[in-house]
Amino acid sequence: MKADVLLGLQWGDEGKGKIVDVLTPGYEVIARFQGGPNAGHSLEFNHRKFILHTIPSGVFRKDKLNIIGNGVVIDPAIFIDEIQALEREGVDLTDRLFISTKAHLILPTHRMLDAASEAAKGRSRIGSTLKGIGPAYMDKTGRNGLRVGDIIRSDFKKKYKTLTQKHADLLKMYRYKVDPGDYEKKWFEGLDMIRRFRLVESEYLINQWLENEKSILAEGAQGTLLDIDFGTYPYVTSSNTITAGALAGLGLAPSRVGKIKGIFKAYCTRVGSGPFPTELHDEDGEFLREKGHEFGATTGRPRRCGWLDLPALRYAIMLNGVTELIMTKPDVLTGLDTFRVCTHYRINGKETGNLPFSLEDPIEPVYKTFKGWSRDISGIRKYDDLPEELKNYKAFIEKETGIPVTLISVGSDREAVIGNGDR
Ligand code: IMP
């Protein structure tokens, strides 16, 4: 058996949480492979909304197994809140959540370092979610990090002290006052919570499950344009958000990967700083933000909105090896007389379909205009019932990318989908 991968093709917030929840009935295991509590995966059903940060989005489907892979960074203080919120909903994960012993921990001092580093950057700040992601991955690659497997070893406290002392020295350099206070207390309570779950060498478990024909969906976080290597560096997150990240973040060999499902919004959004060629600063941008409720699930920040960017989408499809596309939120376009799509960039007077070294250089997006529709589509469940204008838009994207759109999401509820995502 091969594992399927589902990931975001833009700057995150494509609707991964909802789509994983929709696809979960077709899988036995859902596995998160990178990122951490910077993610905010929203799921809606029975008129209730849930936001998951570290925990895979398969948890609301009974009997499904969930893995937090080695590529994820975990903040125990946030993890405990998530688990307790799920328990209040009657979701017991004791036997259904597996955590890799090789996943790294975000320490309270990592959050302080994130805040100090962003403050020091001033106007060129990244717009981080300030969850300590960058500093935690820095300690991982710097070979200083603490891992989940360390918390059940006798020298953990000593290792924790050594690392936090190092952080305190760095924070002094930033003139940042170190005061973990209540957060550190909660962090240690969170460690106790983590110890309640199955701490495993998940790479063995995953490969064994595949060997035994168990179906696995790897759930990405953030999006391709936030990838540490291929995103709009330095305005990116600190992990590989692409398919390659799923391999390294779960211990999967390339031959073990099956379908690669790429999600994109029918328009584009970005939260935080960094270039965004198709960004709108007019009433259309405001329309998309209000109608699409485009406010960060983790930070509440208003998201920047713009038109779909095909050069960026094609780039993401190439990097990930996407085999099928999932379109979310075309319902937000309802009511626009016309809307636009960037088909190419014009750089120094020349048209190109490729992304240049830096998207911060002057880029003029070349647009194609589409006719909109006015009929509410959020209640539609059959492809044939969609307005012709949306069908044309979908066909155009498929022609431009060469990849079929197998699922269209037309609302936030888990029922609001058209198609089956080829599952
Ligand atoms: P960090 O990963 O918290 O350091 O944030 C780095 C950049 O990635 C910032 O621009 C964030 O707004 C963005 N980012 C991080 N996680 C997400 C996400 O889950 N959705 C959208 N943007 C994100």
Side-chain angles (χ1 to χ4, degrees):
M1 189 71 135
K2 291 175 191 248
D4 291 348
V5 181
L6 178 132
L7 29 74
L9 301 180
Q10 295 161 326
W11 281 285
D13 307 317
E14 299 92 351
K16 293 176 289 292
K18 176 205 158 150
I19 299 298
V20 171
D21 176 57
V22 166
L23 296 180
T24 296
Y27 294 91
E28 288 158 282
V29 184
I30 307 298
R32 269 283 302 268
F33 59 83
Q34 48 67 234
N38 48 350
H41 291 177
S42 309
L43 293 78
E44 236 174 282
F45 51 90
N46 299 339
H47 309 292
R48 310 247 343 244
K49 182 170 176 173
F50 302 91
I51 299 177
L52 297 169
H53 299 288
T54 321
I55 294 173
S57 303
V59 290
F60 289 106
R61 302 285 190 174
K62 258 178 117 181
D63 306 327
K64 303 295 177 181
L65 304 177
N66 296 274
I67 294 191
I68 299 177
N70 55 281
V72 176
V73 285
I74 305 175
D75 182 338
I78 293 177
F79 179 80
I80 189 173
D81 277 349
E82 277 190 85
I83 293 291
Q84 287 172 346
L86 288 169
E87 282 174 351
R88 282 195 294 277
E89 293 299 321
V91 179
D92 178 14
L93 287 175
T94 316
D95 295 317
R96 295 202 289 132
L97 181 65
F98 298 78
I99 306 174
S100 168
T101 49
K102 295 188 176 73
H104 278 246
L105 295 172
I106 302 175
L107 273 54
T109 40
H110 283 138
R111 285 170 67 104
M112 294 176 211
L113 283 166
D114 216 356
S117 156
E118 279 285 81
K121 282 193 163 104
R123 281 167 60 98
S124 54
R125 67 182 180 278
I126 286 163
S128 162
T129 60
L130 301 179
K131 302 290 177 197
I133 304 294
Y137 278 115
M138 275 166 72
D139 270 336
K140 174 178 176 174
T141 51
R143 295 154 299 175
N144 295 313
L146 293 180
R147 298 182 292 173
V148 166
D150 289 316
I151 71 175
I152 45 177
R153 297 169 77 95
S154 56
D155 59 351
F156 177 70
K157 279 263 166 68
K158 193 167 148 238
K159 282 186 167 169
Y160 176 82
K161 238 177 125 184
T162 308
L163 187 53
T164 46
Q165 186 52 53
K166 204 177 239 174
H167 291 165
D169 293 342
L170 276 171
L171 287 162
K172 238 185 248 158
M173 203 186 76
Y174 281 116
R175 295 177 207 285
Y176 191 95
K177 196 168 154 282
V178 182
D179 180 18
D182 288 348
Y183 201 81
E184 192 176 43
K185 186 168 165 278
K186 190 165 173 198
W187 194 85
F188 276 99
E189 286 166 10
L191 286 188
D192 290 335
M193 179 62 94
I194 290 177
R195 288 189 193 97
R196 275 183 31 195
F197 292 92
R198 310 208 357 214
L199 312 185
V200 292
E201 272 68 68
S202 54
E203 62 278 27
Y204 276 113
L205 197 62
I206 287 169
N207 281 288
Q208 215 168 50
W209 279 344
L210 289 175
E211 206 58 53
N212 297 339
E213 296 296 310
K214 252 195 193 342
S215 50
I216 299 181
L217 179 66
E219 173 184 5
Q222 291 80 53
T224 301
L225 302 175
L226 290 171
D227 182 87
I228 183 73
D229 283 281
F230 299 105
T232 47
Y233 194 88
Y235 302 100
V236 294
T237 191
S238 299
S239 61
N240 279 119
T241 57
I242 55 176
T243 305
L247 305 183
L250 292 175
L252 283 172
S255 56
R256 282 292 194 192
V257 176
K259 292 173 184 162
I260 299 169
K261 297 164 189 262
I263 303 195
F264 70 101
K265 260 184 217 178
Y267 50 97
C268 254
T269 61
R270 168 161 209 171
V271 62
S273 330
F276 182 177
T278 61
E279 183 170 10
L280 289 162
H281 298 282
D282 57 9
E283 68 270 22
D284 282 340
E286 198 47 47
F287 176 93
L288 295 174
R289 182 160 36 254
E290 286 306 317
K291 185 117 185 280
H293 308 292
E294 296 295 355
F295 297 89
T298 298
T299 57
R301 291 179 292 178
R303 295 180 186 140
R304 300 155 61 194
C305 297
W307 301 127
L308 183 68
D309 182 333
L310 280 177
L313 188 64
R314 288 192 214 100
Y315 185 60
I317 289 170
M318 174 186 82
L319 292 170
N320 290 301
V322 169
T323 57
E324 59 197 77
L325 287 168
I326 295 171
M327 186 204 279
T328 59
K329 300 183 98 168
D331 49 299
V332 174
L333 300 177
T334 304
L336 289 171
D337 291 336
T338 57
F339 62 92
R340 301 207 287 169
V341 178
C342 166
T343 53
H344 290 86
Y345 296 152
R346 193 171 291 124
I347 301 174
N348 294 330
K350 280 203 189 112
E351 281 197 8
T352 174
N354 288 358
L355 267 64
F357 169 69
S358 170
L359 287 187
E360 284 183 277
D361 294 344
I363 289 174
E364 189 197 329
V366 179
Y367 289 108
K368 177 176 166 65
T369 302
F370 283 78
K371 194 168 169 299
W373 58 89
S374 54
R375 181 154 62 88
D376 176 23
I377 60 167
S378 58
I380 295 179
R381 300 290 176 265
K382 280 204 274 214
Y383 179 75
D384 287 346
D385 296 340
L386 286 173
E388 285 308 311
E389 294 86 353
L390 175 51
K391 288 183 188 165
N392 288 342
Y393 186 38
K394 170 187 170 280
F396 179 75
I397 293 167
E398 288 178 327
K399 183 166 93 27
E400 287 288 311
T401 59
I403 308 291
V405 175
T406 59
L407 192 74
I408 302 177
S409 165
V410 289
S412 48
D413 195 87
R414 63 159 61 139
E415 304 299 329
V417 283
I418 298 167
N420 65 1
D422 202 20
R423 187 77 207 168

